[in-house]
Amino acid sequence: EHRGRGLMPEALDAVIDAVFARTDIDGVLWECVLGNVASMRVARKCGFRYTGVQPGQVRGRDGEASASWTGALGRQDDRSVKSGWPAEA
């Protein structure tokens, strides 16, 4: 019942703001398992730049790297929606 209300993009924006405000980290990397369209849409809405499909850094339950959609957001990047995301976005 909470899907589609913009809660996750709002939450992710708050976390990113806190990371940049409280640390000297220059960028945030993002990934989700290939096919997780809902997570991809959240990252896109938050201004991440799509960086492709790569083996995931977060291992699956079986210990293997899953193919993942990946993105990046720099401290100085604007948070507007970027082009280049897969059509599912």
Side-chain angles (χ1 to χ4, degrees):
E1 72 184 69
H2 301 292
R3 285 184 181 255
R5 295 182 168 188
L7 298 174
M8 287 307 297
E10 185 176 332
L12 182 55
D13 279 336
V15 170
I16 293 167
D17 289 344
V19 167
F20 289 153
R22 298 175 185 186
T23 72
D24 60 354
I25 293 172
D26 288 325
V28 178
L29 301 177
W30 165 88
E31 73 175 58
C32 75
V33 173
L34 189 69
N36 186 340
V37 175
S39 290
M40 178 180 58
R41 287 179 177 159
V42 170
R44 181 179 174 268
K45 287 178 184 176
C46 290
F48 280 80
R49 182 181 70 260
Y50 180 68
T51 56
V53 176
Q54 301 174 27
Q57 297 297 309
V58 178
R59 301 291 176 172
R61 290 187 179 109
D62 62 0
E64 296 296 317
S66 300
S68 295
W69 281 319
T70 62
L73 179 69
R75 178 182 289 275
Q76 302 303 322
D77 292 348
D78 73 62
R79 302 275 186 96
S80 65
V81 172
K82 311 294 185 293
S83 61
W85 285 88
E88 296 90 341

